[in-house]
Amino acid sequence: MKKTTIILFILSTLLLHSAIHADIGDWTTFTNKSDVRDISVHGDNIWCATNGGVFKFNVVDSSYEVFTNTSGLTSNDISTLEIDSNGDVWFGLTDGFINIYRSIDGAWDVIDDYSGQKIYDMKFYSDSLFVALDIGVSLYNIARKEVKETYKNLGPGFQVEIPVKSIHLEGRDIWLGTDYGIARSNLDIANLLAPESWTNYTTFNSQIVSNEIRSITSLNGIIFVATNEGVSQFDGALWSDFSTGLDIPDKKDVYDLDSLEDMLYAGTTVGVYRFIDNSWRVVKEGFWNVNSLAVDRNGDIWAGRPKTSKSQGFSRFSMSNNAWTHIVPPGPAGNNFKGLAVDHDGVLWGCSTTDGIFRFDGIDWQSIRKNEYGFSSDDFWAVKVDNDNNKWFASWGGGVVKIDANDQMTFYDHRYLSGINTDPEYIPVTNVAIDNNGNAWFTIYGAEDGNVVAVVTPDGQWQYFSTTDGVKTNPANELYGITSDRFNRVWVGSRSGITVIDYGNTLFDKSDDNLTGTLTVSDGLVNNDVRSLAEDYDGAMWLGTNQGLNYWLGGNVYTMSGVIHDNIQTITVDVRNNKWFGTIGGVSVLAPDNYTWTHYTTENSPLVGANVTAIAFDDATGKVYIGTTNGLSCLETPFAKAHANLDHVQAGPNPYILSEGQKFTIYKLADEVSIKILTPDGMLVRDVGKDDIQGFYVWDGRNDDGEFVSSGIYIYAIYDGDTGESKIGKIAVVRE
């Protein structure tokens, strides 16, 4: 190694430091957690199991702590939870895993013995855990960390391997709720594997009100059962109807029961009831839909609620204030993402086919729904940001919504856009594109008058392109994809192939328009159903279909193999010319060399869902947001826009452990920089020229001779030849 004197070493290396933030490759999951399946009280904390992970709500300061697959859980679909005598929280997942949160140190344990099954309920018993599964009930020995027995034949009245939905332990008796009735046994019986060890209660052999059992509890030695037809009680000998006062329309749907200090509570489709003076009475200001209940030490009621049009989140009834408080946990409005875009201020905007519009500023989520803001539907398909920071949203049925830089909202309905044949005011807009002139383009599905493409200029003038003009589509006018290229030609994807609208940059003079450029399977498309399009920085137009990937370059259509799944739903190109393909099987990334692929799936990464429907980039930070039908993932990448100076440089991981196969990445660099990696005494280790740097540099831990360096402290020195600016930092290398 030769010794090099570097002008950067003006100060002692003791003064060097490296600004480390989120590392390249870090994932964060954002999910909606307002579908609360189970709720439990432990001290000042309320724990909730949801469709999007877990959250803990502190009653004293109203703070939240959330847990997802990027913060401890193995996955996010949680069905039940139980808290043991140590305060550890056990979560049962719909994929059969059990995750355990250790309250002392915040560490996690995983039980995978039930992988592939579905867990509905859990109950502790001595040093064991009963687990309600879709094939019966299982006894797990906690001390030995093993399954002792699984009981699949729960009595002569039941088929083998029926799902068990709820468990109740009363003394030495175990009670199991199913959709076929109740199974009961005594834990002193030697062989619970034998069906004759179980007693069955159904509507055929008892007076229980229904076989569809939702929950079982006890009060003063009497068993109470929640069903879809009310409540039944068992006094030790006979069953009887216990539904008097449950004023519930249609079926008397009761989802959960809980008891505290001689008081019985019921969670129903129309709110919470208490049993007082020989009758059920609704708690003050009853509300819709309760599927889980817990009562705290103050007698306050906590109600978990499903996510529906009438309910979400959880609610608290304060005994002291005699009032309900309804609480929605923080997060996106839903988990079904359809469109994503990052605006000029770094704010993420998105939309959903079920939950309207949302925005995320990096800290807080805001939901924008039809009931509050007045648009006709919460079904949105796409969002794009224009040159003036206007956000354009495509609504299925409601036309177009624009939110400007001052958060003012404008609606474009049937007065601007064509509706469908049976209802002119119903306007399904499927996609949005912004061209280089700032014009916003829209595809209209099923436009009755044939005006299937509409465009509005920055000053508010509208123009239309129809099937008569030459836009290629099928008889139903089903258009989905649209984008603009570097020449301001607009590419439109339909179920009948592609039309290129070349309007000659004279939007309102159709005499020079050319719509003869079309592409179909006869030109090389793998399928005519083109749903997504994007142009890269080399001028190639990438075309995604439900049967594979094409690209157009220089007048020819080529087929590209290598994508993780042929059903391609979205395509985005980042500022470093990586092509990102969202499919129903995950994300595939094609490097600028058009040869190297990287794939992200739910199996090899923390990607929140396999069905990827939208991708957006924050060019300033390199963050990529990946929308799925199960939530939103954010991945830290080095693919950020070049910075004007070195103030934003980040690097990591630090320490850099070679044996773990890591790569040390220096990112958020200016364009014209070079990097030298040295020992603290100035010996050159690696010399990196500016041609090898594109906004970031990845060091593999080797020197210029291709050999791995030894453990120790190293220095990276960055120099900008254009400005003379420099920056230095430390790397702690660990070679095991």
Side-chain angles (χ1 to χ4, degrees):
M1 226 184 295
K2 64 179 180 178
K3 190 158 186 174
T4 305
T5 303
I6 305 295
I7 194 171
L8 303 176
F9 289 97
I10 300 174
L11 301 176
S12 164
T13 55
L14 295 175
L15 300 178
L16 301 179
H17 67 279
S18 176
I20 304 300
H21 302 285
D23 285 334
I24 294 297
D26 280 355
W27 291 79
T28 306
T29 295
F30 301 99
T31 53
N32 175 273
K33 300 176 181 65
S34 60
D35 186 1
V36 178
R37 280 84 174 269
D38 200 4
I39 191 167
S40 188
V41 178
H42 187 258
D44 292 327
N45 295 313
I46 311 300
W47 287 88
C48 293
T50 83
N51 61 317
V54 173
F55 67 86
K56 178 177 69 173
F57 177 76
N58 186 276
V59 178
V60 177
D61 59 11
S62 297
S63 63
Y64 289 89
E65 188 172 3
V66 299
F67 304 93
T68 66
N69 66 313
T70 55
S71 53
L73 293 170
T74 56
S75 62
N76 297 317
D77 199 1
I78 318 297
S79 54
T80 187
L81 69 90
E82 287 290 310
I83 303 176
D84 66 19
S85 58
N86 297 320
D88 297 340
V89 191
W90 296 58
F91 303 103
L93 281 61
T94 58
D95 61 6
F97 280 75
I98 296 173
N99 293 181
I100 307 163
Y101 176 77
R102 302 296 183 188
S103 59
I104 293 179
D105 56 7
W108 289 85
D109 293 331
V110 176
I111 297 172
D112 61 3
D113 296 75
Y114 304 110
S115 175
Q117 307 303 139
K118 184 173 182 179
I119 298 176
Y120 290 98
D121 197 11
M122 300 183 299
K123 290 292 186 294
F124 292 107
Y125 179 74
S126 184
D127 62 349
S128 299
L129 177 74
F130 281 104
V131 184
L133 303 169
D134 53 0
I135 58 169
V137 67
S138 185
L139 181 62
Y140 182 83
N141 188 300
I142 297 173
R144 293 187 173 184
K145 297 183 179 180
E146 64 182 17
V147 177
K148 182 178 181 182
E149 293 178 328
T150 298
Y151 312 114
K152 301 179 181 180
N153 197 334
L154 300 176
F158 292 163
Q159 297 178 357
V160 179
E161 294 191 355
I162 63 171
V164 173
K165 300 296 183 66
S166 58
I167 304 171
H168 177 70
L169 300 173
E170 183 70 14
R172 300 289 295 171
D173 284 349
I174 181 170
W175 296 74
L176 306 178
T178 79
D179 287 339
Y180 305 92
I182 292 176
R184 173 193 181 188
S185 191
N186 187 278
L187 298 177
D188 293 325
I189 295 176
N191 184 16
L192 292 183
L193 293 170
E196 57 268 21
S197 299
W198 296 85
T199 301
N200 299 140
Y201 301 104
T202 70
T203 55
F204 301 106
N205 65 10
S206 72
Q207 296 300 309
I208 195 169
V209 296
S210 174
N211 289 329
E212 190 174 323
I213 311 301
R214 306 280 182 68
S215 175
I216 306 172
T217 192
S218 63
L219 182 63
N220 299 325
I222 298 175
I223 297 294
F224 296 91
V225 176
T227 80
N228 65 322
E229 293 288 352
V231 178
S232 288
Q233 70 169 348
F234 183 70
D235 62 6
L238 298 173
W239 288 94
S240 60
D241 190 349
F242 199 73
S243 303
T244 302
L246 288 176
D247 186 19
I248 305 174
D250 302 323
K251 294 191 302 182
K252 290 180 168 54
D253 260 320
V254 181
Y255 282 94
D256 199 13
L257 295 170
D258 199 8
S259 60
L260 180 71
E261 297 179 354
D262 296 329
M263 186 72 71
L264 190 63
Y265 302 86
T268 78
T269 54
V270 294
V272 177
Y273 285 78
R274 285 179 293 185
F275 193 79
I276 303 174
D277 299 330
N278 297 317
S279 178
W280 289 103
R281 296 184 181 179
V282 68
V283 174
K284 179 181 174 61
E285 297 177 8
F287 51 91
W288 292 95
N289 295 334
V290 175
N291 59 13
S292 56
L293 279 178
V295 183
D296 67 21
R297 58 195 176 194
N298 298 318
D300 290 352
I301 304 169
W302 295 86
R305 309 173 71 192
K307 185 177 183 294
T308 70
S309 60
K310 295 181 178 180
S311 67
Q312 60 176 322
F314 63 113
S315 300
R316 176 190 188 181
F317 181 75
S318 170
M319 286 295 180
S320 59
N321 296 329
N322 195 35
W324 283 103
T325 302
H326 304 300
I327 309 165
V328 178
N335 287 328
N336 184 7
F337 290 79
K338 186 66 174 176
L340 293 170
V342 177
D343 72 13
H344 302 176
D345 300 317
V347 175
L348 176 69
W349 292 83
C351 58
S352 165
T353 57
T354 55
D355 297 293
I357 297 169
F358 62 85
R359 70 190 300 273
F360 178 57
D361 63 8
I363 299 174
D364 297 318
W365 291 88
Q366 178 187 358
S367 177
I368 302 172
R369 305 290 295 270
K370 67 177 183 179
N371 291 340
E372 184 177 356
Y373 289 89
F375 39 84
S376 61
S377 171
D378 280 330
D379 188 351
F380 286 88
W381 281 46
V383 54
K384 292 292 189 301
V385 180
D386 69 16
N387 304 342
D388 297 320
N389 211 24
N390 299 305
K391 281 64 68 175
W392 295 88
F393 295 87
S395 164
W396 182 270
V400 171
V401 175
K402 182 183 79 170
I403 300 178
D404 68 18
N406 297 315
D407 291 335
Q408 297 300 306
M409 194 174 297
T410 306
F411 305 100
Y412 299 97
D413 55 17
H414 63 282
R415 294 168 294 178
Y416 302 90
L417 302 165
S418 177
I420 62 175
N421 186 349
T422 56
D423 185 355
E425 296 188 10
Y426 190 85
I427 309 162
V429 182
T430 56
N431 219 324
V432 188
I434 309 297
D435 69 18
N436 296 327
N437 294 325
N439 302 313
W441 295 75
F442 311 97
T443 47
I444 296 93
Y445 181 105
E448 188 274 335
D449 63 3
N451 286 331
V452 291
V453 176
V455 54
V456 60
T457 64
D459 61 358
Q461 298 183 71
W462 286 83
Q463 178 62 288
Y464 307 90
F465 294 86
S466 69
T467 53
T468 303
D469 294 323
V471 178
K472 192 175 187 65
T473 182
N474 62 340
N477 289 341
E478 297 174 285
L479 279 71
Y480 294 102
I482 188 168
T483 194
S484 174
D485 67 18
R486 63 188 61 196
F487 302 108
N488 262 359
R489 298 174 301 194
V490 177
W491 295 59
V492 181
S494 75
R495 298 197 68 177
S496 295
I498 291 172
T499 303
V500 180
I501 302 174
D502 185 350
Y503 63 94
N505 280 317
T506 56
L507 195 56
F508 296 96
D509 179 6
K510 288 200 171 187
S511 65
D512 61 353
D513 290 358
N514 183 354
L515 279 72
T516 60
T518 60
L519 297 175
T520 66
V521 291
S522 63
D523 301 297
L525 293 182
V526 293
N527 186 268
N528 280 338
D529 193 353
V530 180
R531 300 296 180 99
S532 52
L533 311 94
E535 184 186 33
D536 70 16
Y537 288 92
D538 297 322
M541 183 64 70
W542 294 87
L543 315 170
T545 78
N546 61 357
Q547 294 183 12
L549 177 65
N550 291 112
Y551 68 95
W552 177 95
L553 182 64
N556 297 308
V557 174
Y558 303 91
T559 300
M560 173 63 77
S561 60
V563 70
I564 197 167
H565 197 286
D566 284 338
N567 193 336
I568 300 162
Q569 304 187 106
T570 185
I571 305 173
T572 308
V573 180
D574 68 30
V575 293
R576 296 297 170 182
N577 207 28
N578 297 285
K579 279 69 71 176
W580 295 69
F581 303 95
T583 79
I584 66 172
V587 176
S588 291
V589 186
L590 182 61
D593 61 10
N594 290 337
Y595 175 79
T596 306
W597 286 96
T598 303
H599 306 289
Y600 300 106
T601 70
T602 54
E603 286 75 31
N604 71 7
S605 76
L607 181 66
V608 70
N611 189 9
V612 177
T613 51
I615 299 174
F617 292 94
D618 186 337
D619 293 341
T621 64
K623 290 180 179 178
V624 55
Y625 293 96
I626 304 171
T628 78
T629 52
N630 289 327
L632 177 71
S633 290
C634 178
L635 172 62
E636 301 276 348
T637 81
F639 309 125
K641 185 182 297 184
H643 292 271
N645 53 52
L646 300 179
D647 293 343
H648 303 280
V649 170
Q650 296 181 25
N654 211 347
Y656 172 26
I657 305 173
L658 293 180
S659 62
E660 294 183 355
Q662 298 175 330
K663 303 292 185 183
F664 185 84
T665 304
I666 307 170
Y667 56 109
K668 297 188 179 180
L669 295 167
D671 263 341
E672 298 297 320
V673 300
S674 59
I675 298 174
K676 295 182 186 298
I677 297 174
L678 311 106
T679 63
D681 61 355
M683 297 294 293
L684 182 64
V685 174
R686 190 73 172 262
D687 195 356
V688 186
K690 63 181 181 181
D691 291 340
D692 296 322
I693 300 170
Q694 291 187 335
F696 67 96
Y697 171 68
V698 179
W699 183 41
D700 58 5
R702 299 176 187 268
N703 60 25
D704 280 335
D705 295 326
E707 301 168 338
F708 283 109
V709 301
S710 302
S711 296
I713 301 298
Y714 293 83
I715 308 301
Y716 64 84
I718 307 167
Y719 179 71
D720 189 328
D722 283 351
T723 66
E725 186 182 7
S726 61
K727 190 177 185 70
I728 53 180
K730 284 183 179 180
I731 314 168
V733 175
V734 179
R735 183 177 176 182
E736 298 176 346

